[in-house]
Amino acid sequence: MRIRVLLADDEPVILRGLKKLIDWEKLGFSMIGEANDGNELRQLLRECRPDLIISDISMPGCSGIDIIREIHEQSLQVKVVFISAYQEFAYARQAIQYGAVDYLVKPVNKAHLESVVGKAAALIREENEGERAREKLTHYERKQRTVTIEELLDGLMDGDKRAASELTRMGAVALSRHTSVCLLEPDETMGSASSRWEERERKLVHFALHNIIKETIEPGGNGLMFHKDGRFGILIQHEHADEPRELAYDLHGKINAFLKLPVSLGIGRPVCGIEAASDSYRAALKALNHKYFTGLNRVNETDETAADHSEELCSIAELEENIAKALMSQNREELHAAVNRLLAATRRRAAGSKQLAVMSVYNAIQLLDQHMAKIGIQLSASGHDPNALLARLSGHAAYEGVKKEFAAIVERACEQIVHKLANKEIAELRRVKTYIEEHYAENITLESMAAMIYMNPYYFSSFFKKHTGKNFKQYLTEERMKHALRLLLETDLMIYEIAERVGYNNARHFSDMFKKMYGKLPQEYRQSAGVE
């Protein structure tokens, strides 16, 4: 540390002599200014903030005694050495009473100057060391007080009543109408292991959050910050019920704006008296943990954790069965409603527990898998590794992710059923067509065909038209007429014989159907084709 020196004398020759008399730099001094009278010295004293002043005791404007008196009255950390003529000796002794280090008698000699400034330097360094020691002690005491307060707050959150008394005795807390606890944690801690911060980054985030929280609560003077179980906590003493909410939203907005960091906060309900702070802490923790269900990067209040009784009261098993039934019947509207009811009931009955919610959805998927297995469908979502499914569900940072995954699994099951039914229907249609081709001459009815593939006649009628674009009777007639035309052109069978061979007992009815399809009666068609 270099000592900053300011010289003052109304005689320029004295100033030049002082500067050249000794090697100031070598002795650890830096020359920061020169004053030619008392008024200029007073101004430089304010502007340059010297450690040491070497000044003539008697100058125009104001005397050296005036300057040292001001230094004394303002308790400035500045040492003064005066230069005086021999006849001003009594005057110089007065200066010593105001704290001057020493005085030099003109003409100043080198040895005396070095001795006096050495003495001043020793005093300055000694006082600076003492000041640093006092600052360190003050800092240490302040740090120890902060640590002690945090430890007491930690105990207070656990219900230690003695901690409340000690905090009051220390003056850390005051009497207030309400006491509330607010908890905060970054949302990244909820993510997968691969997305979690490195230790260095974690420390930087912790430091930045610490500063923002401190800057937010200090102006009001009614909040104490603490750390517990990896979370930031704020003990708020307040007169108005809305104060914790206002502080939490203010803090959340600042963190989002300045750090671009998603964080969740939980606000505990207000309690009367510092001794009941643990009740507010537990409510805040419950509200914070509910972020899994309400969503990340938001402020959760205690009343948001209340159970929702608007949902119909039925067992989880019934809701799971409803999903299976809706799947089998391919009722999309009912399926969507059943999925939403199950997920809402799961959230409600988990009572804020992520583990219970995940296990409930996991069990629902396993049951769905069993239902699908009965009809020959293997859900790719669960596959052959239930542990992988459970790990995937547990890996979601919020319940919303679990909901989306469950809905996607149900949708895949629905698509697989549709695909399977479509394949089944194609096979059944092929069977019906083959039968008609082979038995068109027999008494075939819509009812008999429906019974053959175990369908309701009404459903079979719509099923057949959906896949062929024709109703069953039209298709059967066209098939019979196709064979009738072949027989008409390739054989000499009588018309009534052809009618019988393609399934008609009434030759006239056969002829009418033939004409409707080909525009001519069978005999006319044969003649026009040149077949005798």
Side-chain angles (χ1 to χ4, degrees):
M1 166 192 161
R2 304 196 72 80
I3 297 173
R4 296 156 56 85
V5 181
L6 183 61
L7 300 179
D9 201 295
D10 58 337
E11 297 182 46
V13 66
I14 299 293
L15 287 177
R16 288 195 298 271
L18 287 173
K19 289 166 62 177
K20 294 180 178 180
L21 193 57
I22 61 175
D23 190 342
W24 294 94
E25 289 290 328
K26 186 176 180 181
L27 293 173
F29 295 89
S30 292
M31 204 65 63
I32 61 170
E34 301 173 17
N36 295 302
D37 59 44
N39 290 333
E40 190 176 354
L41 175 58
R42 178 181 282 142
Q43 182 178 348
L44 289 176
L45 173 62
R46 289 194 298 266
E47 294 175 356
C48 300
R49 302 180 64 84
D51 301 308
L52 173 62
I53 294 175
I54 299 177
S55 172
D56 190 358
I57 202 166
S58 178
M59 292 183 295
C62 64
S63 69
I65 295 297
D66 294 329
I67 296 295
I68 197 170
R69 186 186 297 116
E70 291 179 17
I71 291 172
H72 177 73
E73 290 172 353
Q74 296 175 29
S75 300
L76 300 178
Q77 298 296 313
V78 182
K79 297 302 178 186
V80 179
V81 172
F82 280 121
I83 304 172
S84 68
Y86 181 76
Q87 63 269 26
E88 296 171 329
F89 177 72
Y91 201 29
R93 290 189 63 180
Q94 184 183 357
I96 298 296
Q97 294 174 2
Y98 281 109
V101 174
D102 210 330
Y103 63 92
L104 300 165
V105 178
K106 297 179 181 178
V108 178
N109 65 65
K110 178 178 180 181
H112 195 188
L113 178 59
E114 286 184 345
S115 174
V116 170
V117 298
K119 177 182 175 181
L123 288 172
I124 291 169
R125 291 191 175 100
E126 183 181 336
E127 287 186 3
N128 283 341
E129 287 297 324
E131 183 63 26
R132 280 197 292 271
R134 284 191 295 274
E135 287 178 357
K136 285 182 180 179
L137 180 60
T138 302
H139 176 73
Y140 176 76
E141 289 174 347
R142 190 182 299 117
K143 185 176 180 181
Q144 285 299 104
R145 175 181 168 83
T146 301
V147 170
T148 300
I149 290 173
E150 282 213 16
E151 289 175 350
L152 289 171
L153 287 172
D154 188 286
L156 184 65
M157 297 306 115
D158 291 333
D160 184 355
K161 304 298 182 184
R162 291 174 299 179
S165 301
E166 188 62 20
L167 286 166
T168 303
R169 185 193 67 76
M170 294 175 65
V173 296
L175 293 176
S176 63
R177 185 178 179 186
H178 302 296
T179 298
S180 296
V181 174
C182 177
L183 295 175
L184 176 151
E185 69 179 1
D187 290 331
E188 271 74 0
T189 57
M190 295 284 291
S192 62
S194 60
S195 68
R196 293 183 182 179
W197 296 314
E198 295 294 334
E199 187 60 26
R200 180 175 176 276
E201 187 178 13
R202 188 186 303 278
K203 287 180 179 179
L204 288 173
V205 168
H206 186 279
F207 178 75
L209 286 173
H210 179 96
N211 286 342
I212 288 184
I213 294 171
K214 186 178 179 182
E215 290 171 2
T216 302
I217 66 176
E218 276 187 349
N222 60 342
L224 288 174
M225 180 171 57
F226 62 94
H227 301 89
K228 187 170 179 64
D229 300 329
R231 304 180 184 91
F232 287 90
I234 307 171
L235 178 78
I236 309 164
Q237 293 182 277
H238 54 104
E239 296 299 321
H240 305 290
D242 286 341
E243 288 181 46
R245 186 173 184 273
E246 292 170 359
L247 185 146
Y249 277 95
D250 179 34
L251 187 57
H252 183 262
K254 287 177 179 176
I255 293 171
N256 277 189
F258 300 136
L259 299 184
K260 310 298 182 187
L261 179 70
V263 295
S264 293
L265 293 92
I267 307 174
R269 62 178 179 274
V271 295
C272 294
I274 192 75
E275 297 83 0
S278 59
D279 294 336
S280 183
Y281 169 77
R282 286 193 295 272
L285 185 59
K286 185 177 181 182
L288 181 62
N289 288 337
H290 213 67
K291 70 177 182 177
Y292 178 72
F293 297 97
T294 59
L296 306 180
N297 196 28
R298 57 173 291 170
V299 176
N300 289 307
E301 301 181 54
T302 307
D303 57 0
E304 290 185 311
T305 65
D308 180 6
H309 297 290
S310 63
E311 296 289 340
E312 61 184 62
L313 296 176
C314 58
S315 71
I316 294 292
E318 287 178 294
L319 293 170
E320 292 170 342
E321 287 295 331
N322 290 343
I323 291 176
K325 290 176 182 176
L327 268 174
M328 298 307 174
S329 65
Q330 287 292 288
N331 187 330
R332 289 296 185 113
E333 185 176 345
E334 178 55 33
L335 179 61
H336 180 72
V339 167
N340 286 340
R341 283 196 298 270
L342 174 66
L343 292 171
T346 296
R347 168 183 166 173
R348 184 175 63 251
R349 295 176 190 189
S353 169
K354 173 184 176 180
Q355 184 178 7
L356 288 178
V358 168
M359 286 307 301
S360 183
V361 174
Y362 170 79
N363 290 334
I365 294 173
Q366 292 294 88
L367 182 63
L368 184 61
D369 194 31
Q370 293 172 19
H371 279 289
M372 295 299 99
K374 291 178 182 177
I375 60 173
I377 294 176
Q378 175 67 57
L379 285 180
S380 57
S382 57
H384 301 289
D385 187 0
N387 291 331
L389 170 63
L390 185 58
R392 194 163 66 250
L393 293 175
S394 300
H396 289 290
Y399 187 57
E400 189 63 28
V402 175
K403 289 168 60 177
K404 288 180 179 178
E405 178 146 358
F406 182 72
I409 288 172
V410 172
E411 180 60 29
R412 282 199 296 273
C414 193
E415 291 171 357
Q416 286 177 276
I417 290 174
V418 168
H419 182 69
K420 188 174 183 67
L421 289 175
N423 289 341
K424 181 181 178 182
E425 288 182 351
I426 291 171
E428 289 172 337
L429 180 66
R430 188 180 298 114
R431 183 181 172 193
V432 168
K433 285 183 173 181
T434 300
Y435 187 88
I436 291 172
E437 288 175 3
E438 295 175 353
H439 302 274
Y440 60 87
E442 299 175 10
N443 183 25
I444 298 175
T445 65
L446 182 145
E447 289 74 16
S448 65
M449 289 294 93
M452 185 179 76
I453 57 174
Y454 306 101
M455 280 188 187
N456 177 286
Y458 296 102
Y459 180 78
F460 175 78
S461 178
S462 62
F463 152 78
F464 192 88
K465 188 167 186 178
K466 180 181 76 172
H467 288 289
T468 63
K470 304 173 183 177
N471 61 46
F472 175 76
K473 188 175 182 180
Q474 178 187 0
Y475 183 87
L476 177 60
T477 299
E478 289 178 357
E479 186 67 22
R480 283 172 168 171
M481 291 302 113
K482 180 180 70 174
H483 289 283
L485 183 60
R486 179 179 58 79
L487 293 173
L488 189 67
L489 298 176
E490 295 178 1
T491 70
D492 56 359
L493 291 173
M494 302 296 290
I495 300 303
Y496 75 89
E497 291 177 313
I498 293 174
E500 289 178 350
R501 290 200 178 191
V502 296
Y504 288 92
N505 295 325
N506 187 316
R508 181 163 183 171
H509 177 57
F510 163 71
S511 296
D512 291 341
M513 296 301 296
F514 189 91
K515 184 177 181 180
K516 185 181 291 186
M517 179 166 290
Y518 296 113
K520 296 179 181 180
L521 291 171
Q523 188 61 37
E524 293 173 344
Y525 195 96
R526 176 180 271 176
Q527 290 173 353
S528 65
V531 179
E532 294 299 332

